[in-house]
Amino acid sequence: MVKPVTFTFEETNIDEISTFAGRVAIFVTPDGKLDPAARRVNRLTKGAIARLVEAGVKAGDARVLAYPVGMAAEAVDVICLDKRASIEENRAAGVALAKARGKVAVLVCAGNNNKAAQIVLGLALRDYEFTDHKTDEALADTRSVTVMSTKPSEIEENARPLLAVAEGAFFTRDLVNEPANVLTTTEFADRLVAMKDLGLEVEVLEEDKLAELGMGALLSVGQGSDSPSKVVVMKWMGGETDAAPLALIGKGVVFDTGGISLKPAAGMEDMTMDMGGAGVVAGAMRALALRKAKANVVGLVGLVENMPSGNATRPGDVVTSMKGDTIEVINTDAEGRLVLCDVMHYAQETFKPAGMIDLATLTGAVIIGLGHENAGVFSNDDGLCNKFLKAANAEGEGAWRMPLGKAYADQLKSSIADVKNVGGRPAGSITAAEFLHRFVQEGTPWIHLDIAGVAHVKAETTYAPKGATGWGVLALSRLVEDAFEAKEEE
């Protein structure tokens, strides 16, 4: 898997700056002040930094001094950052360095910036490439970053949990970017089982067990494929022994043809990302394990492939969910909700969670409503929902609350079964959420996140190149930290 670049943390050593052979990053303030490292570079380059500053810089500017005379470095990156810069602005500085650096080593002269760990996170998140299937683009071994600081131990301690979250986001991106012939349901499950090495408890429920449990809705989605359907359960029990866990549920359709309700050929190749919800759950669980979160969290993902065949579910079929509700399948391309409803019911019956969040690339309708800037947020609990929205906002991951209501649920009424799996074109993302709402037990705080617009995009985002974004890993980790982790008494 792709991992974040390797960081080392050192005490500031002015003499090392002149001999560093990669790129050197220094910081100046909007009022033109130079810290000791910047003054050293200015002397080495015969006043080039001072001249650049005098020409005018403003907060957020990133300039490049190429081929700096008097230094071994191939370039100097000059970032304008106010001493009181926010977390977001420090992360943006890291993003700028990641975009500029290419594949060479970088020396970041952070000085006495007490938010330097956020520069590290921004650099780590943006410094991602998925090159597993490009034979001529192996990443160079020189992709290391040295952070010089007046308090290297403190910066390293602050950066450690942030880099754990970055690795979780990378894991999600890798999964979402993989082609379906590589990331089969079996391969997906195997990658999750491998996280036992991080301290996660992982169990794979195979088709015979799913049938025994009565997961007829989930099994109906994958019955047209040669790939076996599976449910993978991951447990991180880092909190109090008897504390009810937070449950994270992910839709893991490794490829979605639409089934018998076949999708158009144009763009179908993008349906390798239809396991995005499961990818986010997996990445979040990895992050929690790596940073040793003091919370109880269970992650459950339903892994299936939606294919047309002589054995595939037909439009008009009626299937029975684990809950016992019968479902009239109007459209086999509305399959994700059939996967989620059974996994959600199993999670509630098995773990009695303190809260439940499901994530899915569920509807194209949410993209019509919110574009690629925000995930759709649906919830039956204002308290949990507001905590999530606050966490998402703090991490710069767009999320917007959408409504629920009986009128939307009524669109799902069936004349031959308990419920239909689609309610027509109007409010398609809301009726999909109402379908899932039906499977939430009374008293369980629940959030549904429709991430169809944010999981995989055609243009680069703040923290990721085009393709898989890893959206949700940062927000979920922050939510767990803020709302579910046991706090140490002062």
Side-chain angles (χ1 to χ4, degrees):
M1 64 168 284
V2 180
K3 287 194 174 185
V5 65
T6 300
F7 288 85
T8 56
F9 300 84
E10 299 179 359
E11 188 82 32
T12 297
N13 181 351
I14 296 297
D15 293 334
E16 187 180 334
I17 295 174
S18 63
T19 60
F20 192 82
R23 297 180 77 100
V24 174
I26 61 171
F27 297 87
V28 300
T29 60
D31 59 4
K33 291 183 180 179
L34 309 183
D35 66 9
R39 289 198 296 270
R40 174 66 167 168
V41 172
N42 188 52
R43 288 194 296 272
L44 290 168
T45 59
K46 304 186 185 308
I49 305 305
R51 291 192 294 274
L52 187 153
V53 170
E54 288 169 5
V57 292
K58 62 182 185 298
D61 282 352
R63 307 287 179 83
V64 177
L65 181 62
Y67 308 108
V69 177
M71 299 178 65
E74 70 172 43
V76 174
D77 295 298
V78 184
I79 307 293
C80 186
L81 192 66
D82 193 280
K83 288 186 177 296
R84 297 178 298 276
S86 66
I87 287 174
E88 183 180 25
E89 289 166 331
N90 275 275
R91 289 185 185 178
V95 168
L97 294 176
K99 290 171 127 179
R101 82 188 199 86
K103 297 180 180 180
V104 300
V106 176
L107 176 65
V108 180
C109 302
N112 62 359
N113 184 348
N114 61 6
K115 294 191 183 79
Q118 300 296 335
I119 296 175
V120 168
L121 178 61
L123 199 164
L125 285 172
R126 188 58 183 79
D127 193 59
Y128 173 88
E129 291 181 86
F130 186 72
T131 59
D132 287 13
H133 306 292
K134 292 188 175 184
T135 57
D136 60 347
E137 293 194 21
L139 297 181
D141 293 333
T142 55
R143 296 174 68 253
S144 61
V145 177
T146 301
V147 180
M148 276 190 180
S149 167
T150 56
K151 298 179 180 179
S153 297
E154 180 180 317
I155 300 304
E156 182 174 11
E157 182 178 354
N158 292 338
R160 191 177 300 114
L162 299 178
L163 289 172
V165 177
E167 183 171 327
F170 274 38
F171 190 56
T172 297
R173 292 174 187 175
D174 284 354
L175 291 168
V176 175
N177 278 326
E178 282 284 20
N181 63 320
V182 174
L183 193 72
T184 62
T185 56
T186 299
E187 172 64 16
F188 200 150
D190 288 346
R191 293 192 189 188
L192 302 187
V193 169
M195 290 202 291
K196 287 182 178 181
D197 293 343
L198 304 179
L200 286 167
E201 299 175 48
V202 185
E203 179 185 11
V204 181
L205 307 181
E206 303 289 357
E207 284 188 340
D208 56 349
K209 181 63 175 179
L210 303 181
E212 180 184 325
L213 289 167
M215 291 195 187
L218 181 150
L219 288 170
S220 74
V221 176
Q223 71 186 40
S225 172
D226 289 340
S227 292
S229 298
K230 302 171 186 282
V231 171
V232 182
V233 182
M234 298 162 279
K235 292 192 287 186
W236 175 257
M237 308 306 280
E240 298 177 0
T241 302
D242 298 326
L246 171 68
L248 306 178
I249 317 294
K251 169 190 170 184
V253 180
V254 296
F255 193 79
D256 182 19
T257 65
I260 297 299
S261 304
L262 194 66
K263 292 177 180 292
M268 195 192 291
E269 68 277 7
D270 291 337
M271 288 301 99
T272 57
M273 53 76 73
D274 209 23
M275 36 57 63
V280 176
V281 171
M285 296 302 294
R286 187 178 192 89
L288 297 176
L290 286 169
R291 70 173 183 81
K292 303 288 191 269
K294 295 180 172 65
N296 296 335
V297 184
V298 293
L300 301 94
V301 296
L303 306 181
V304 302
E305 185 178 37
N306 188 20
M307 296 286 281
S309 77
N311 196 43
T313 298
R314 297 161 290 248
D317 284 359
V318 174
V319 299
T320 304
S321 69
M322 183 181 174
K323 179 188 173 187
D325 286 0
T326 56
I327 303 164
E328 182 185 6
V329 180
I330 301 298
N331 187 332
T332 63
D333 195 23
E335 83 297 332
R337 63 202 73 181
L338 301 178
V339 174
L340 289 172
C341 72
D342 275 347
V343 181
M344 288 167 58
H345 187 77
Y346 176 82
Q348 292 168 98
E349 289 291 295
T350 306
F351 298 107
K352 309 297 181 189
M356 179 170 62
I357 301 174
D358 77 78
L359 299 96
T361 50
L362 204 66
T363 68
V366 81
I367 303 175
I368 302 303
L370 298 176
H372 297 284
E373 304 302 316
N374 290 283
V377 182
F378 305 80
S379 182
N380 67 348
D381 186 274
D382 291 344
L384 180 61
C385 186
N386 289 337
K387 288 174 183 176
F388 175 78
L389 291 171
K390 181 180 177 182
N393 182 63
E395 297 297 342
E397 295 191 317
W400 192 264
R401 190 170 186 180
M402 303 282 279
L404 293 168
K406 182 178 181 300
Y408 298 113
D410 286 346
Q411 291 177 222
L412 297 167
K413 288 182 177 179
S414 168
S415 60
I416 64 169
D418 296 327
V419 66
K420 297 187 296 186
N421 75 326
V422 293
R425 287 179 60 83
S429 60
I430 304 175
T431 56
E434 278 294 355
F435 178 92
L436 297 176
H437 193 185
R438 182 185 185 93
F439 296 87
V440 179
Q441 295 176 2
E442 186 175 353
T444 300
W446 161 72
I447 296 173
H448 162 57
L449 299 174
D450 192 334
I451 64 172
V454 295
H456 190 280
V457 295
K458 299 293 187 182
E460 69 173 74
T461 60
T462 301
Y463 296 121
K466 67 179 181 179
T469 64
W471 183 100
V473 174
L474 275 72
L476 290 174
S477 179
R478 171 62 72 92
L479 174 68
V480 170
E481 180 180 358
D482 291 349
F484 291 92
E485 289 201 41
K487 305 300 180 184
E488 294 183 4
E489 295 185 6
E490 298 181 359

